[in-house]
Amino acid sequence: MTIGFRVLPRSRKVGAEVVRQFRELPVANVSDVMSRITAAGPRLRPLHAEGILAGPALTVRTRPGDNLMVHKALQIAEPGDVIVVDAGGDLTNAIIGELMLAHAEKIGLSGIVINGAVRDYGAIRIGKFPVFAAGVTHRGPYKDGPGEINVPIAIDGMVVEPGDLILGDDDGLLCVPFDDTTKVYRDACAKQDAEAKIMAATQEGRVSKPWVDETLKRLGCEGV
């Protein structure tokens, strides 16, 4: 099998119930309980009008400006999947546009992530089908390969393996590793509950933050 030009099977992926549970949690809270160290970089932004991105990853690695393997991914993707494409972050040529996105939505995908550029932004920005990308260009793609499907990829240091959980909202994109979803969900729920209590106290005017002065004193700040 040729490294760099191959289609591999996906051996596991997060289930529908896991996806449903995480859809109720802000990406920022999930990020917090993952030590705030995992992120796909600030360039990957939601381009669609509204809507949460959540689903198992079907990964694609392709050379910049070429979408041959993305077309193949659309042929083998299952309903609920999120196709995550590492195109090197290059913005010279669009990897996907309105026609391919309409196909993705029609077959029931949960969204598309492109570490690269898209086109037909006018159609994307008024739609609710989740699309995250690094930029926009009118220049179309090539279809020559090479590329790989269902291999580990990395986007600005965030490793995505096939079947991992992909989450995205207005704050950005996050990958939760397949083996860590149970613990991360439990911790994120606790974080959500704690923030709800802080918000209630804020609305009632009961917020107290003694830790601020305690921290400043510990760090040797003058005048505290």
Side-chain angles (χ1 to χ4, degrees), residues 22-136:
F22 272 91
R23 288 184 67 88
E24 305 302 320
L25 296 173
V27 168
N29 284 356
V30 178
S31 178
D32 281 351
V33 303
M34 294 176 66
S35 300
R36 302 165 183 164
I37 200 170
T38 299
R43 291 203 309 160
L44 281 182
R45 303 301 307 159
L47 301 184
H48 54 292
E50 60 180 77
I52 302 299
L53 173 68
L58 192 160
T59 62
V60 180
R61 178 188 292 131
T62 185
R63 73 177 177 90
D66 193 287
N67 74 356
L68 175 62
M69 298 305 274
V70 182
H71 281 279
K72 181 58 182 178
L74 284 169
Q75 290 182 340
I76 65 176
E78 299 172 345
D81 282 349
V82 176
I83 292 180
V84 185
V85 182
D86 179 14
D90 183 78
L91 305 182
T92 306
N93 295 81
I95 296 298
I96 203 166
E98 182 180 10
L99 293 178
M100 292 177 72
L101 289 170
H103 180 195
E105 185 173 14
K106 180 65 176 179
I107 64 177
L109 299 193
S110 291
I112 297 281
V113 176
I114 306 290
N115 184 25
V118 299
R119 67 178 183 177
D120 303 322
Y121 176 54
I124 296 171
R125 69 184 176 188
I126 64 174
K128 295 185 178 181
F129 182 71
V131 178
F132 283 70
V136 177

